[in-house]
Amino acid sequence: DEMAGERLDQLEDPFRLYRCHTIMNCASVCPKGLNPAKAIRERMKLRFTRAMITAALRGELDKVEYANHPVFGVNMPLSCPEVPAEMLDPRNTWKDKSGYDAQADQLAEAFQKNFDKYRENASEEIIAAEPKARVKA
């Protein structure tokens, strides 16, 4: 990576890595040339985020059906007022479904690896709730 030094120089200011973590300049310092702010903006429109928060605060999500995420085990609402149903499953926000699956599995595996140092002190209930990467064929 020939640009590492230049990217690190961009972070040498009073805010340092804070700037990268807050997506203020991450596109200019990213080694892969990604633009996370654009990706987030395209995946989840602000009005949908606001509608989901409003629905949750009003108790409207207490009245809907849920599906369980296959990797992370969290319940995802199947409907939410003012939000297209396809937006409620994060996999549907990716054009490349296999890319989403690979990222979800990679994140689950990273969690499991990190959790290994705490596993012996964790209850069975906690262990049962950890993400589960799908078995690769």
Side-chain angles (χ1 to χ4, degrees), residues 39-59:
I40 292 167
R41 189 172 57 247
E42 289 175 357
R43 286 207 181 110
M44 183 62 69
K45 303 288 185 207
L46 184 58
R47 67 186 175 111
F48 298 145
T49 302
R50 286 183 177 156
M52 286 187 273
I53 292 169
T54 299
L57 292 174
R58 291 181 177 163

Side-chain angles (χ1 to χ4, degrees), residues 44-137:
M44 183 62 69
K45 303 288 185 207
L46 184 58
R47 67 186 175 111
F48 298 145
T49 302
R50 286 183 177 156
M52 286 187 273
I53 292 169
T54 299
L57 292 174
R58 291 181 177 163
E60 294 170 346
L61 297 180
D62 296 341
K63 307 168 192 162
V64 302
E65 291 184 49
Y66 286 79
N68 194 265
H69 191 281
V71 175
F72 301 108
V74 297
N75 289 326
M76 304 175 296
L78 297 177
S79 63
C80 179
E82 301 182 43
V83 179
E86 63 272 8
M87 297 293 295
L88 298 172
D89 182 341
R91 188 174 190 265
N92 292 334
T93 66
W94 286 53
K95 289 178 185 172
D96 177 9
K97 305 295 188 233
S98 63
Y100 173 84
D101 294 341
Q103 279 296 124
D105 290 338
Q106 183 180 352
L107 183 57
E109 289 168 359
F111 177 93
Q112 290 167 343
K113 182 178 178 184
N114 185 60
F115 186 66
D116 282 342
K117 56 188 158 197
Y118 308 105
R119 190 175 305 280
E120 69 182 44
N121 297 317
S123 69
E124 289 299 317
E125 183 180 26
I126 296 293
I127 293 170
E130 75 178 314
K132 294 160 184 63
R134 291 168 276 236
V135 178
K136 295 171 181 68

Side-chain angles (χ1 to χ4, degrees), residues 12-33:
E12 287 299 322
D13 63 26
F15 294 106
R16 297 188 186 206
L17 289 179
Y18 170 80
R19 292 183 68 211
C20 185
H21 290 281
T22 57
I23 309 182
M24 295 170 82
N25 74 339
C26 56
S28 63
V29 297
C30 180
K32 295 183 178 181

